[in-house]
Amino acid sequence: MSSINLPLFKPWVPEWLIRTTILLMLLPALGVFALYFSNGAETTGYYGMEPADMQYSVVLMYAALVTFLPIDDRLVKYVKPRPYFLIAVALNTLTCFVCAGTRNLSVFMICRFVQGAVCALFCSICLHMIFSQLRSDRMRVIGYSVFYGTLQVSIPACAFFCSWILHYFEFNHLFYFVILAEIPGLILMLAITNNVRFRKKFPLYQLDWASYILYTILLCIAGYILVYGQQLNWFSSPQLRWLLLIGLASGLLFSLRQFSLKRPLLQLRLFRFAAFRNGLLLLIAYYTFKGTTGHVYAYLQGVLLIDPLNLTPVWTSNIAGVVMGMLVASRLVLNQTDTRWILGCGFLSLLLFHVCMYFLFSRQANTNQFLLPMWIQGFGTGALFVPIVMYVVAAVPATMAGTVSFIGIAARYAGFCGSIAFANYFQLYAKSIHYNKFRESFTGINPMREDVLEQFRQHFLAGGKDMATARQLAEGAAQHLMQEQTGLRASMDYYAWMIIGLSVLITVIVAGPWVKKQVLRPRRVFTPY
């Protein structure tokens, strides 16, 4: 039989084995993507970098994924999936070995960029495999729910996985476990698939590498400015001013090139559709409001001093919420429920999570108090993504729908970087404001200060310390207490702004169409004199 007529999967392969294989193929890419973001303290300690460097390594990988996807869309139509997957596994294995063996920051960042492009290869192959198994009008909804649901749970699942490994092994062993995780998916993929293409071979001509380079420069610079902006005092820094100039020039050249080419890398003409623009704004808002759980994990480990192993119930609760949200949202979308109400309920769940967390920040708490809020956050996160994606796709003509996902993931990248920038602002600026306020009131003339110091001194004296040592330790403990309180106040301010933003967004989503209708109705019935 000709290879053209062969199906992708061999006829003897059961459905459950196909699904298991796709999941095992996707795990290594997701593991590398979430590895550093869920283990920030361990990563910065191993490589000797600052927290902002760790954040930018994640942003750099994300940028590489976003910019390579349009190129990958052409490559996956030309190369057969089996050799293409082998190339992805080889590159991922090589970069993991390099990351495990080096502590050079520049080499590490280069590997992160390569891993981002490799992650695009993994994701595109797995997404094509999922869609190849769904031959109905439900294909898009179910495919997106399965694929993006797996992406959503990758960070808490990877945190759960890494916390157990780091308890018994050194940090660089994480990379070896990622390499081992590639083997089952690779063996099963080669065993159950035929060496055929997803679609008819499409020649690789007019591949727009110039646009790819400009696009990559633009997103990498934008991510750098948003991550390091607060630390470098924004555009008072000459470095950021030059980067902004280069980024604007790259963006302008990229845009002009897309409008002048017959086959552009991205169809920027999509922005003329108002519904598409609104959908991108929803994606940005979604990633801004969902990326706030870092404060929760930092609070649990930094203030409550909970061991990562004991955070397993919290991560499990969040994963369960994501899965439930995806299932409920996909069912509602298939039943053609009004998207406005699905979005309203999803963002309302995120609002409820932020309200709960605002009142939970204190020096005394336990993990059980965070199980329900984290489930609610996961439910809102899972319930929102597929409806937003379907809304964006439906906003443009079917002939132009191919580019929607590439621009949509760029919007998700913008929301992700924006959430990091907003969090860094409160970590540095808002924390310093509260610290100065505490320091002004917590002085020698304040009787409360002496009471606190006396309690600390008595505590250390009871532990066998002499008076001089107890006084020094008491001053240090009071200083630590003040820093802890400023961090809690900064986190509360951060969540307060999130609550305000979500309240406004929910009002616009639910009441916006009604307000628009009431405003436009008088215009339609107005009769001039």
Side-chain angles (χ1 to χ4, degrees), residues 352-373:
L352 182 59
F353 161 73
H354 286 87
V355 172
C356 292
M357 286 307 307
Y358 182 86
F359 292 103
L360 280 177
F361 281 121
S362 65
R363 296 195 68 247
Q364 294 181 346
N366 59 71
T367 54
N368 293 331
Q369 295 175 276
F370 295 87
L371 297 182
L372 181 60

Side-chain angles (χ1 to χ4, degrees), residues 56-77:
Y56 186 64
S57 72
V58 180
V59 168
L60 190 64
M61 183 177 178
Y62 205 158
L65 169 67
V66 172
T67 57
F68 194 76
L69 276 175
I71 298 291
D72 174 79
D73 187 59
R74 293 287 303 277
L75 294 175
V76 81
K77 297 175 184 177

Side-chain angles (χ1 to χ4, degrees), residues 50-53 227-234 240 424 428:
E50 297 182 5
D53 297 327
V227 170
Y228 292 97
Q230 185 64 36
Q231 181 177 329
L232 299 178
N233 202 17
W234 295 102
L240 292 190
N424 288 344
L428 297 175

Side-chain angles (χ1 to χ4, degrees), residues 238-288:
Q239 178 186 2
L240 292 190
R241 289 201 297 268
W242 277 107
L243 286 175
L244 177 64
L245 182 61
I246 297 172
L248 291 175
S250 300
L252 179 61
L253 291 174
F254 175 77
S255 301
L256 293 175
R257 186 173 176 83
Q258 301 317 294
F259 284 111
S260 62
L261 291 176
K262 183 179 179 181
R263 294 182 180 86
L265 191 70
L266 297 178
Q267 286 281 359
L268 297 184
R269 293 178 178 85
L270 290 173
F271 284 96
R272 71 173 183 264
F273 299 103
F276 177 73
R277 297 194 299 269
N278 294 336
L280 293 185
L281 291 176
L282 278 175
L283 270 176
I284 294 174
Y286 167 72
Y287 268 81
T288 300

Side-chain angles (χ1 to χ4, degrees), residues 373-411:
M374 292 303 292
W375 186 92
I376 294 173
Q377 194 275 344
F379 181 85
T381 298
L384 282 170
F385 192 84
V386 171
I388 294 176
V389 170
M390 298 304 297
Y391 176 80
V392 174
V393 172
V396 301
T399 55
M400 306 177 70
T403 313
V404 169
S405 59
F406 305 140
I407 299 180
I409 196 171

Side-chain angles (χ1 to χ4, degrees), residues 175-350:
F175 299 103
Y176 304 136
F177 279 98
V178 170
I179 294 170
L180 291 175
E182 295 175 330
I183 298 175
L186 176 62
I187 294 174
L188 286 173
M189 193 264 191
L190 296 176
I192 70 174
T193 60
N194 294 307
N195 194 24
V196 296
R197 291 182 172 83
F198 289 117
R199 284 172 283 184
K200 187 178 179 180
K201 185 176 181 180
F202 194 83
L204 285 176
Y205 61 88
Q206 295 182 350
L207 210 58
D208 194 5
W209 290 106
S211 295
Y212 166 73
I213 294 173
L214 291 172
Y215 192 32
T216 302
I217 293 173
L218 171 63
L219 293 194
C220 290
I221 288 178
Y224 187 92
I225 292 174
L226 290 173
V227 170
Y228 292 97
Q230 185 64 36
Q231 181 177 329
L232 299 178
N233 202 17
W234 295 102
F235 299 112
S236 61
S237 167
Q239 178 186 2
L240 292 190
R241 289 201 297 268
W242 277 107
L243 286 175
L244 177 64
L245 182 61
I246 297 172
L248 291 175
S250 300
L252 179 61
L253 291 174
F254 175 77
S255 301
L256 293 175
R257 186 173 176 83
Q258 301 317 294
F259 284 111
S260 62
L261 291 176
K262 183 179 179 181
R263 294 182 180 86
L265 191 70
L266 297 178
Q267 286 281 359
L268 297 184
R269 293 178 178 85
L270 290 173
F271 284 96
R272 71 173 183 264
F273 299 103
F276 177 73
R277 297 194 299 269
N278 294 336
L280 293 185
L281 291 176
L282 278 175
L283 270 176
I284 294 174
Y286 167 72
Y287 268 81
T288 300
F289 292 125
K290 78 173 280 289
T292 61
T293 54
H295 280 261
V296 180
Y297 295 125
Y299 164 72
L300 290 172
Q301 296 183 57
V303 178
L304 300 184
L305 302 177
I306 298 176
D307 188 85
L309 287 179
N310 296 324
L311 291 180
T312 301
V314 179
W315 290 322
T316 305
S317 177
N318 189 243
I319 292 172
V322 172
V323 174
M324 181 60 68
M326 280 284 182
L327 292 174
V328 172
S330 59
R331 175 54 57 185
L332 292 176
V333 170
L334 290 173
N335 290 337
Q336 298 182 348
T337 306
D338 190 348
T339 305
R340 180 176 43 146
W341 298 112
I342 304 176
L343 296 178
C345 292
F347 282 114
L348 184 62
S349 298
L350 292 182

